[in-house]
Amino acid sequence: MIALVVLVIVLVLPTTTIAEQGRRAVWDRVDVTVSLRTDSVLRVIELDRVIFNGGPFQEGFREIPLTRIERIDGVHVGEQRNGIVQQLRFVPPGNFSRLTPNTLTYQVVGPNVRIRWSFVPSTNAIRTFQLIYDAHGALRVYDDVPEPYQQFAWIAVGEELTRNSPVNAATLTFILPRAVDVART
């Protein structure tokens, strides 16, 4: 039986904030669910609750490091209102403007995938955004060792997020395609 080894690093480090003359955004909650699909792709669903103090704010972003993965695709962003997620419309990176609400774009920028989205300007508000994307090449398979195993790593809240705003609370949940003996993880 192949054991699945899960390496989890969750960093929640309060650092600098988006602060400009009374403007500040704080990630109140970041809840991430990573599902390992049977095709070895990770489906990531992230629910981000953001507190905007001052403003106006009209753009959000997320950077996903490509350090341990081959690529990101299937990107969707929506805003949760009254328990319903309203999806934003994708536009190519060259056509994205924070001044056009309810749009999103993404592209590889250096070692990261940068996801950007726009929304109706907010001042002194709490907004909740849902990001969904697929991470390819994150599962490592080690069949050529005496006890074969599989491994993946995922950083739910890392420096890419905390260098811009503090994160008050975060959760990371893994869902595997089949049961795994915890003693072998």
Side-chain angles (χ1 to χ4, degrees), residues 109-179:
V109 178
N112 300 318
V113 170
R114 181 175 295 152
I115 303 169
R116 296 173 62 196
W117 64 93
S118 62
F119 47 88
V120 174
S122 281
T123 302
N124 298 321
I126 298 173
R127 312 273 297 260
T128 301
F129 302 99
Q130 181 188 63
L131 286 73
I132 299 174
Y133 51 90
D134 294 329
H136 297 261
L139 183 67
R140 306 287 185 254
V141 178
Y142 300 96
D143 285 336
D144 58 348
V145 294
E147 288 193 46
Y149 66 97
Q150 298 173 345
Q151 174 186 57
F152 68 88
W154 196 259
I155 299 174
V157 177
E159 181 183 345
E160 300 77 22
L161 184 63
T162 60
R163 78 169 149 242
N164 294 299
S165 297
V167 175
N168 291 338
T171 63
L172 175 59
T173 303
F174 288 104
I175 299 173
L176 304 176
R178 66 178 192 264

Side-chain angles (χ1 to χ4, degrees), residues 28-175:
D28 188 43
R29 290 198 57 82
V30 176
D31 297 308
V32 180
T33 301
V34 179
S35 299
L36 176 60
R37 298 187 333 207
T38 56
D39 63 358
S40 300
V41 173
L42 299 181
R43 166 57 60 101
V44 180
I45 300 175
E46 183 174 314
L47 201 58
D48 299 337
R49 180 181 152 110
V50 184
I51 301 171
F52 296 111
N53 292 306
F57 292 88
Q58 58 196 72
E59 179 180 0
F61 74 95
R62 192 74 162 92
E63 290 196 358
I64 311 300
L66 293 170
T67 309
R68 293 184 175 102
I69 57 177
E70 294 170 6
R71 73 180 192 279
I72 297 277
D73 64 15
V75 176
H76 298 279
V77 178
E79 183 170 2
Q80 188 178 63
R81 296 183 198 143
N82 301 320
I84 298 170
V85 177
Q86 298 176 343
Q87 294 298 317
L88 305 184
R89 181 178 54 87
F90 175 80
V91 296
N95 295 342
F96 179 80
S97 169
R98 66 183 177 86
L99 301 176
T100 305
N102 303 317
T103 60
L104 79 113
T105 196
Y106 65 96
Q107 66 185 21
V108 175
V109 178
N112 300 318
V113 170
R114 181 175 295 152
I115 303 169
R116 296 173 62 196
W117 64 93
S118 62
F119 47 88
V120 174
S122 281
T123 302
N124 298 321
I126 298 173
R127 312 273 297 260
T128 301
F129 302 99
Q130 181 188 63
L131 286 73
I132 299 174
Y133 51 90
D134 294 329
H136 297 261
L139 183 67
R140 306 287 185 254
V141 178
Y142 300 96
D143 285 336
D144 58 348
V145 294
E147 288 193 46
Y149 66 97
Q150 298 173 345
Q151 174 186 57
F152 68 88
W154 196 259
I155 299 174
V157 177
E159 181 183 345
E160 300 77 22
L161 184 63
T162 60
R163 78 169 149 242
N164 294 299
S165 297
V167 175
N168 291 338
T171 63
L172 175 59
T173 303
F174 288 104
I175 299 173

